[in-house]
Amino acid sequence: MGKELSKGKMILFLTALFLTNVGIMADMVIVPAIGSFFEVFGDQINLVNFIISGPVLISVISALACGKLIQLFSKKTLLTFGFALFAIGSILGVAIESALYIAAMRALVGVGIGFINVTAMALIAEFFVDESKRSAMIGAFNASMAGVGAVIGLIAGFFAVNSWHSVFKVYWVGVPILIMVILFIPKTLPEKESLDEYQKPVKKEPIPLKTFGAMCVSMFIWNAIYGVIFFQIAVYVLEKGIGNESLAGLLSSLGTVGSLCACLIFGVTYSKLGRGTIIPSYIVVALGYLTLMTSKNVFVVGLACTLMGAAYGNGFSYFYMRGTVIVPSSQISNSIGIVTAVNGVSFFISTYMVTYLQKLMGVDTLSGIMPVLVVILATGSVASILLTIRNKEYPSEYRLPDVEAAE
């Protein structure tokens, strides 16, 4: 561990940190109310669209900014600030029944999401230096993200039965979590004041653009492709005629469960496969889309969605983990900020990608574009296998210059 805490303080620290996923998964709460937004504010469609997806784009900007601000401020300060913004924007989200007001509050939520995501991952990277421990904690954090999202989404569904305003009551859980963040997250030095093991200032080295850039491009493509089924599972279900909205909700939940399970064992997976951890994820999602193209059996489709969710959880954890080991330690926070931004943009763009591919291929169905997705994923699988083989001889993991010289 990079920082030493007593067992009790570590448990409280991780509990508070993992619960901040309520902020990251904030959108799960409003999903049951989305239909009502269109009904109530149907004459302000652009604002409604921003209410739904605007926070994703806002979080991209705030994540990049947070990666820089970590150089100047303690991670605890930034996490507290971000979670407080989320709490204010979400709890007061419908204090005024106005589309403009709700959009403004959702913008605050978006800023908070970016800060929470970056600082939480940066804290894990700082407190867990050993790769095996860090990968296990990143997996556990992402598993808790999936679990928290499933729980608050389920609760919001029950609240939505009363009225669409009621779902915002779920956000009050943010108050005790904010108190826990203030009390239990350890104070850290701004990274510009960080010291190495010899108590010398940490030298800030540049990010290796070739390696890191290639990883970001891979993550962008990977996320955008998985985002197709993540966002449009209901469209697929109706298109195939295999069920209704309730089945779509079930299939979405199965994907979340799969993701949670894969994240829980990510530490073991990464310790065994390292650079090759992403390979099975590419293969499973490719086979998943192939199955969705060809099968109308509800059980088979459910199994495919579960395995695709597991593959995504593994891949999502992989890209965050790799972002911390292929850059200098002084650039880890910047790396996490960029990876978080890539994650947000790629998910946002996935729905537009569907429309583009449908026009390009002259089809009007989701299934019609899946052959292209399968080909891209198969190409990614082959490329990852070749790069993993190459990585054994030419490691992409960051090594200190003096270590390289000694070798």
Side-chain angles (χ1 to χ4, degrees), residues 30-366:
I30 71 161
V31 167
I34 286 177
S36 297
F37 289 151
F38 284 105
E39 290 178 5
V40 177
F41 305 112
D43 58 338
Q44 298 171 284
I45 195 70
N46 289 330
L47 279 176
V48 173
N49 284 328
F50 181 85
I51 289 170
I52 296 169
S53 61
V56 175
L57 285 182
I58 298 292
S59 70
V60 168
I61 300 170
S62 64
L64 292 172
C66 187
K68 296 294 184 181
L69 290 173
I70 283 177
Q71 303 296 318
L72 305 174
F73 300 95
S74 166
K75 296 179 183 69
K76 175 177 181 174
T77 300
L78 294 174
L79 179 58
T80 304
F81 172 74
F83 201 86
L85 281 183
F86 151 73
I88 293 169
S90 59
I91 293 171
L92 301 179
V94 286
I96 301 173
E97 190 174 307
S98 157
L100 182 60
Y101 171 81
I102 296 173
M105 292 296 100
R106 290 283 289 160
L108 285 184
V109 170
V111 175
I113 290 172
F115 273 74
I116 295 166
N117 211 339
V118 173
T119 49
M121 284 290 184
L123 281 165
I124 290 174
E126 179 171 344
F127 278 81
F128 297 91
V129 176
D130 178 76
E131 273 195 42
S132 61
K133 291 180 180 178
R134 181 185 294 174
S135 61
M137 293 311 304
I138 287 177
F141 181 81
N142 289 335
S144 69
M145 188 187 301
V148 164
V151 171
I152 62 176
L154 181 64
I155 295 173
F158 286 114
F159 275 80
V161 173
N162 295 323
S163 73
W164 66 272
H165 298 84
S166 297
V167 300
F168 286 83
K169 294 178 181 178
V170 177
Y171 289 127
W172 278 98
V173 71
V175 174
I177 295 174
L178 177 59
I179 294 172
M180 292 178 69
V181 168
I182 294 170
L183 294 178
F184 303 137
I185 299 296
K187 187 82 171 179
T188 61
L189 289 173
E191 291 196 351
K192 70 173 186 177
E193 299 178 19
S194 296
L195 304 175
D196 63 17
E197 58 184 316
Y198 304 108
Q199 298 300 301
K200 296 178 180 179
V202 174
K203 182 181 178 182
K204 193 171 181 64
E205 300 174 69
I207 289 177
L209 294 180
K210 183 178 179 180
T211 305
F212 184 74
M215 188 202 77
C216 287
V217 170
S218 298
M219 183 183 188
F220 183 90
I221 296 171
W222 162 259
N223 269 13
I225 290 178
Y226 182 75
V228 171
I229 199 62
F230 178 82
F231 285 117
Q232 303 201 36
I233 185 63
V235 175
Y236 169 82
V237 167
L238 296 175
E239 178 184 294
K240 285 285 187 176
I242 59 175
N244 54 24
E245 290 83 357
S246 63
L247 177 61
L250 175 60
L251 295 177
S252 179
S253 297
L254 288 174
T256 301
V257 170
S259 177
L260 188 155
C261 293
C263 289
L264 284 175
I265 63 170
F266 177 73
V268 175
T269 307
Y270 188 83
S271 66
K272 299 293 185 182
L273 300 179
R275 170 65 179 79
T277 301
I278 191 62
I279 296 172
S281 286
Y282 272 117
I283 295 172
V284 170
V285 176
L287 292 175
Y289 274 119
L290 191 61
T291 301
L292 295 180
M293 284 167 48
T294 57
S295 179
K296 287 189 175 182
N297 183 288
V298 173
F299 175 79
V300 173
V301 170
L303 179 60
C305 287
T306 304
L307 293 176
M308 290 171 78
Y312 178 73
N314 181 69
F316 180 78
S317 299
Y318 166 82
F319 285 115
Y320 267 99
M321 179 63 193
R322 292 297 289 178
T324 70
V325 299
I326 64 175
V327 301
S329 60
S330 61
Q331 292 285 2
I332 286 177
S333 295
N334 273 335
S335 166
I336 292 171
I338 295 170
V339 168
T340 301
V342 170
N343 176 62
V345 173
S346 58
F347 253 58
F348 179 81
I349 210 73
S350 65
T351 54
Y352 295 92
M353 182 182 72
V354 170
T355 303
Y356 174 77
L357 286 176
Q358 286 175 333
K359 289 182 179 179
L360 184 66
M361 299 176 67
V363 299
D364 58 1
T365 64
L366 201 61

